[in-house]
Structure formats: structure tokens, C-alpha cells
Amino acid sequence: MRDYIQYSHVGVLFAAVFGLFVYGGIQLDKKMDMQPLFTLLGVILGFVMACYKLIKETEVKKK
């Protein structure tokens, strides 16, 4: 049960980081009128950063 509580926030963190990057890309596309460019960059960077945070949050702490 303790592991469940310890890692219960990881899914929300992944979705939040990914969503923020995609949202930022969409907003930049609207502002600069370059439709798919920044949205695609936001998707790619958001996925990479979300995976990075996922790995950092779940890696076993070495003593």
C-alpha cells in the first residue's frame, strides 16, 4: 500500500507536464500563425520531459 501512495501522483504529473507543453505549442502557433510547427514541437518536447520526470520520480534511490 505504501508504494501505491508514494507513486500515485506520477500519472497526474506525466499528464500535467505533457499537457503544458502541448498547450504552449498551440498558443505559440496561434500567436505566430505557424500552425503545426510549435504544436508538434510541444508534443515531442512534452513527451520527452514527461518521460524524464517519470523516470526521475520512480527510480530507486541508491544508498
Side-chain angles (χ1 to χ4, degrees), residues 1-53:
M1 184 70 167
R2 183 174 180 194
D3 288 338
Y4 174 74
I5 293 170
Q6 183 179 358
Y7 298 117
S8 63
H9 71 284
V10 174
V12 174
L13 179 66
F14 186 93
V17 170
F18 183 73
L20 285 174
F21 272 88
V22 173
Y23 179 75
I26 291 169
Q27 294 305 312
L28 278 173
D29 277 339
K30 286 180 182 177
K31 186 174 183 172
M32 298 192 164
D33 197 28
M34 301 177 75
Q35 274 315 9
L37 177 66
F38 290 113
T39 300
L40 290 174
L41 285 175
V43 167
I44 293 167
L45 289 175
F47 184 75
V48 169
M49 290 304 294
C51 286
Y52 174 78
K53 288 296 288 178

